[in-house]
Amino acid sequence: DTGVSQNPRHKITKRGQNVTFRCDPISEHNRLYWYRQTLGQGPEFLTYFQNEAQLEKSRLLSDRFSAERPKGSFSTLEIQRTEQGDSAMYLCASSLNGYTGNTIYFGEGSWLTVV
Amino acid sequence: KNQVEQSPQSLIILEGKNCTLQCNYTVSPFSNLRWYKQDTGRGPVSLTIMTFSENTKSNGRYTATLDADTKQSSLHITASQLSDSASYICVVSASGNTGKLIFGQGTTLQVKP
């Protein structure tokens, strides 16, 4: 068990460019979540997967954002035509299933800076 | 609207002292409440999880309480250490098998020697 792994940890990109973040959950965890966190704020829900199925998406997830989890293992979060307001830390988390008492483990986050 | 509010926003205490952080929520229907510790620039780390039937849960020097009737929770830290300096976030999820967690803004704790 190596924990939730996120790559890259830091990304600086020019406005208008596309970026992609990858998340490798803890093995055998079938739930995977994406959150966004800006400085001084708590994380905000973006989306979550049960295996390969994307079950819920936040209204924060505009058309420029897309998340996938092919084969129910790793996940990618792509942001197209980045804007300065996209600058944030993108957190990935995983859990064994949706059982209410299960611990949700977070990765260390991927920092995005749009210049 | 489902919300989680924490107080105080920030707190400074001396090493060895105790402190209590507060969390009020309006999430309904309630499923569980979690406390996370987040070091600057790192991902949150789980401290406790409580369902509506649990009143208290301990994890070392951390003790969380839950009053589901008043929709309040507290996190008590005993004999604080310098390494306790971090943001403490209260997180509530609604029932219905949703994966959506609702986070508070966190309380930033600074422990000084």
Side-chain angles (χ1 to χ4, degrees):
Chain A
D1 181 354
T2 59
V4 178
S5 177
Q6 293 189 244
N7 288 287
R9 290 293 317 281
H10 302 274
K11 178 73 176 179
I12 300 174
T13 189
K14 292 184 178 180
R15 188 175 53 185
Q17 297 295 305
N18 299 341
V19 297
T20 299
F21 298 113
R22 175 179 170 127
C23 172
D24 288 274
I26 294 172
S27 59
E28 300 182 353
H29 278 193
N30 50 24
R31 282 252 173 139
L32 186 147
Y33 315 78
W34 283 101
Y35 284 81
R36 180 173 71 183
Q37 185 175 24
T38 54
L39 283 174
Q41 302 294 317
E44 295 175 294
F45 171 78
L46 292 179
T47 187
Y48 86 98
F49 294 83
Q50 175 82 18
N51 299 312
E52 66 276 12
Q54 188 174 19
L55 297 188
E56 189 172 350
K57 292 170 59 175
S58 165
R59 287 172 292 178
L60 293 173
L61 217 62
S62 73
D63 292 344
R64 298 184 296 105
F65 288 71
S66 62
E68 296 182 344
R69 194 184 182 194
K71 304 179 182 178
S73 56
F74 72 91
S75 175
T76 58
L77 176 68
E78 182 183 15
I79 308 173
Q80 296 181 327
R81 305 181 303 282
T82 52
E83 302 173 355
Q84 287 188 323
D86 297 331
S87 296
M89 179 167 69
Y90 291 84
L91 285 163
C92 177
S94 72
S95 64
L96 186 55
N97 54 42
Y99 172 62
T100 189
N102 273 352
T103 298
I104 297 176
Y105 297 89
F106 283 83
E108 296 290 14
S110 291
W111 284 96
L112 173 65
T113 301
V114 181
V115 298
Chain B
K1 180 181 179 182
N2 289 331
Q3 284 186 313
V4 177
E5 295 183 350
Q6 294 186 241
S7 63
Q9 187 173 2
S10 62
L11 183 62
I12 301 174
I13 62 173
L14 293 176
E15 186 179 11
K17 298 296 186 182
N18 305 335
C19 67
T20 300
L21 315 180
Q22 301 292 340
C23 173
N24 297 331
Y25 62 91
T26 58
V27 178
S28 181
F30 173 83
S31 175
N32 62 71
L33 185 146
R34 307 163 188 258
W35 282 94
Y36 279 85
K37 177 186 179 185
Q38 186 174 27
D39 293 316
T40 302
R42 308 291 296 274
V45 175
S46 179
L47 294 176
T48 62
I49 304 172
M50 290 183 292
T51 61
F52 69 92
S53 61
E54 297 177 291
N55 301 118
T56 185
K57 184 73 70 79
S58 291
N59 178 2
R61 294 180 296 103
Y62 301 103
T63 300
T65 65
L66 173 64
D67 185 333
D69 292 330
T70 62
K71 299 185 177 180
Q72 295 179 326
S73 175
S74 66
L75 180 69
H76 186 73
I77 304 175
T78 303
S80 61
Q81 301 175 357
L82 297 179
S83 59
D84 292 333
S85 296
S87 179
Y88 291 84
I89 307 177
C90 176
V91 187
V92 181
S93 60
S95 58
N97 202 29
T98 178
K100 182 178 180 179
L101 301 177
I102 300 165
F103 286 74
Q105 289 189 317
T107 292
T108 301
L109 174 65
Q110 186 177 0
V111 180
K112 289 190 170 182

